Amino acid sequence: MSKKIDRFQLLLDLAERKRKEMERLLGESQQRVAQAEAGLRQLKQYQLEYQQQFQQAGRSGLSSGGIQTYQAFISKVSATTLQQEQALKQSQAQLEQVEIHWRQAMAHHKAMQKLLDKAVDEQRKLDDKRLQQELDERSQHTRPNFI
């Protein structure tokens, strides 16, 4: 194998490692977004259920202390929901950045693969040409048997 091919193979190996690392990070980012979305859905569902409980309790009569307790808890759940929405937005923004880097790593890997393939093909053509020249030279130096 020629030095050129060896260098391209090394570059391809490095690009492959980078691509795999970016795929791992992409998976982790996608998982974080999915977890944040699931957490947000749970919080909203919990908030809705608690508000319904508050309304039912209000129909049957609540003390002012009970109303304040319900309202304080609903306020805390609302604040937590807002925090979870912010975390989701941040996770989505990170995912977008990781996707960009992943696409770049994929493109770089493909480019390195094409360069390696081209170098291997050029080397193969060069080897074939040398072999043909050697065969031509041998055929010129051999004497025919009928002489």
Side-chain angles (χ1 to χ4, degrees), residues 7-53:
R7 286 191 306 265
F8 281 132
Q9 184 62 52
L10 178 62
L11 291 174
L12 178 64
D13 291 344
L14 293 172
E16 176 72 13
R17 278 191 241 149
K18 178 76 172 182
R19 182 187 62 82
K20 285 182 180 180
E21 176 66 14
M22 293 311 302
E23 284 177 353
R24 184 186 64 77
L25 291 173
L26 180 64
E28 289 174 1
S29 294
Q30 289 169 334
Q31 188 176 18
R32 277 194 297 277
V33 167
Q35 288 172 342
E37 287 172 341
L40 185 59
R41 279 192 301 273
Q42 287 177 329
L43 278 170
K44 286 184 177 184
Q45 182 63 34
Y46 185 66
Q47 183 178 13
L48 179 65
E49 290 171 4
Y50 200 79
Q51 285 174 340
Q52 289 171 347
Q53 286 178 355

Side-chain angles (χ1 to χ4, degrees), residues 2 4 10 14-15 30 34 51 57 74 89 101 134 143 145:
S2 74
K4 183 178 181 180
L10 178 62
L14 293 172
Q30 289 169 334
Q51 285 174 340
I74 289 173
K89 287 178 185 177
H101 291 291
E134 288 175 17
R143 294 185 188 177
N145 289 336

